[in-house]
Amino acid sequence: MVPLPSQLLGLVLQVQGNGVDVNVNPGAGLVGGAVSAFLTTLIVGAILVALAPGYTEKMMAYVRDEPIGSAIYGVLSLVLVLVLMVILVITIVGILLAIPLGIVLFVAWAVGAAIAYLAIAERLVGREDGWTKPLLVGAAINGGLALTGIGGIVSFCIGAAGFGAVLRNWLN
């Protein structure tokens, strides 16, 4: 008799009979990721347009003018910083530097992604009525992409373009 796939999975993972309760629910992960992406884009975008509207518009224009170059720059920078963080963690003493670097990296990524989604949303709905519509549409696009699962790849590329634009501006 051939075991059912769930029985085979249980045997492979050795979770049956060990008192370990494993509940795999990919739908909850997708919904949680989508809500998180929506709220992060909405909140960071709102902070950006409230505190630095000129900077936000400048970065949005840069993302629209150089999307591919910004995305490549963003991905390469992300890879280099992640490698640096791994090296710092390996040295044990560098953990004290890796943690703040990770926080700065996350904030810069969130700012860049919000800018990129605002640029897309502004193209779609305009900004004649203010920032509310582009903020909601940009956040909905990010949340919608995260909800689809495979859209995470597209979302990553969009975030990389914004991240690259922010880094280029900051480093130049």
Side-chain angles (χ1 to χ4, degrees):
M1 179 173 141
V2 177
L4 296 172
S6 62
Q7 290 172 334
L8 186 58
L9 181 64
L11 291 173
V12 170
L13 295 178
Q14 294 295 311
V15 295
Q16 293 177 341
N18 290 339
V20 177
D21 184 23
V22 177
N23 184 11
V24 179
N25 187 356
L30 286 176
V31 171
V35 169
S36 174
F38 175 84
L39 289 176
T40 301
T41 303
L42 185 65
I43 292 168
V44 172
I47 291 170
L48 282 170
V49 299
L51 298 179
Y55 173 78
T56 305
E57 291 171 2
K58 177 180 155 189
M59 290 296 96
M60 288 168 53
Y62 193 80
V63 169
R64 279 191 306 265
D65 294 343
E66 291 287 330
I68 303 297
S70 293
I72 291 170
Y73 194 85
V75 169
L76 291 177
S77 298
L78 181 67
V79 168
L80 289 175
V81 172
L82 289 176
V83 167
L84 175 65
M85 286 176 62
V86 168
I87 292 170
L88 287 171
V89 168
I90 289 172
T91 65
I92 305 297
V93 176
I95 292 174
L96 294 174
L97 294 174
I99 292 171
L101 182 61
I103 293 169
V104 168
L105 181 68
F106 173 76
V107 170
W109 184 273
V111 167
I115 286 171
Y117 282 104
L118 279 172
I120 293 169
E122 184 185 40
R123 272 286 163 101
L124 293 174
V125 297
R127 198 167 36 101
E128 296 79 27
D129 301 335
W131 285 101
T132 305
K133 247 195 261 185
L135 278 169
L136 290 172
V137 169
I141 292 170
N142 194 6
L145 286 172
L147 187 60
T148 64
I150 193 69
I153 296 168
V154 176
S155 180
F156 174 79
C157 293
I158 293 169
F163 179 66
V166 168
L167 284 182
R168 275 184 162 178
N169 182 62
W170 186 65
L171 295 174
N172 288 334

